[in-house]
Amino acid sequence: MGFTSEQVHWMFGVVIVATGMLLLLRHIAGMKGRWLDYVVPTALAIFGTEFALDPLVHGEAMPTNYAAEMTQHFIVSVVLLGASAAEFVRLARSGQSFAWRLPLVAALVVTAGIFALHAQHGGAPMLLLMTQHRMIAATLAVAALAVLLEAITKPSAHDRNAPAFPLLTVLLGVQLLVYTEGTGPLGMMTQ
């Protein structure tokens, strides 16, 4: 497909902001519909699939020295797809116990850890890349804590999400939308 790393981050950002906004509308405006229960597991499935297909998404625009990143992306793919499956089962069973939220918490924690330690490819300022990835990792870790606290206080699948997780989801999406590798919108290095 030929998307650059920046463009892939931006695409993720758009979908994550949309996901977070739907969750916020549900909480704040009382938006209703059983389909809203499936927003998070569907997003997890989409992202898990994209992480697995990452080489195809980049195509010829794939960064050099990408083997370590691909291993990390594959791990995140497996974790996100597993969390998605657990969330779908939890919803199909009308909200199981606290334990059924743990796969989502684990997926967020593992993904945060991988973002914090993410192998970086060449061609961009290393400090910029590391700072951005660690900020994303911190947001994911706090989101994991929010889901865990929500599971402890409101274990039913039919209860609306606490506002912390939707807000953190929007924040994560915005972080991805402003992600840069030091290039401008046309892919040229900025001065």
Side-chain angles (χ1 to χ4, degrees):
M1 291 183 177
F3 292 112
T4 65
S5 181
E6 284 181 325
Q7 291 168 332
V8 172
H9 282 81
W10 299 338
M11 288 185 286
F12 267 77
V14 168
V15 176
I16 292 174
V17 166
T19 299
M21 292 305 293
L22 286 171
L23 296 174
L24 271 175
L25 285 171
R26 182 180 199 184
H27 179 76
I28 294 170
M31 191 175 181
K32 296 190 184 328
R34 179 81 172 135
W35 66 273
L36 287 166
D37 293 340
Y38 295 93
V39 169
V40 171
T42 301
L44 291 169
I46 290 168
F47 296 136
T49 302
E50 193 286 327
F51 271 105
L53 300 176
D54 194 57
L56 299 175
V57 172
H58 284 303
E60 291 184 21
M62 184 183 308
T64 57
N65 304 324
Y66 204 58
E69 290 95 328
M70 269 311 307
T71 301
Q72 292 172 334
H73 288 178
F74 181 73
I75 292 167
V76 171
S77 172
V78 170
V79 169
L80 293 179
L81 290 170
S84 172
E87 283 290 299
F88 278 121
V89 170
R90 181 181 71 82
L91 291 167
R93 294 183 176 189
S94 297
Q96 296 295 314
S97 67
F98 165 80
W100 280 93
R101 291 313 306 251
L102 294 180
L104 177 56
V105 172
L108 291 168
V109 168
V110 168
T111 304
I114 287 179
F115 265 94
L117 304 172
H118 194 7
Q120 304 297 333
H121 48 80
M126 200 55 59
L127 181 60
L128 174 65
L129 294 176
M130 289 172 48
T131 301
Q132 291 176 126
H133 280 88
R134 290 193 175 130
M135 291 300 296
I136 291 167
T139 302
L140 287 164
V142 175
L145 182 61
V147 172
L148 182 63
L149 291 174
E150 177 189 340
I152 291 169
T153 59
K154 282 197 214 181
S156 172
H158 300 294
D159 289 335
R160 289 196 305 227
N161 289 331
F165 183 67
L167 287 170
L168 289 162
T169 304
V170 171
L171 175 61
L172 176 62
V174 170
Q175 288 172 325
L176 291 166
L177 284 171
V178 299
Y179 178 86
T180 184
E181 293 182 358
T183 61
L186 301 176
M188 299 175 287
M189 292 299 285
T190 57
Q191 303 291 328

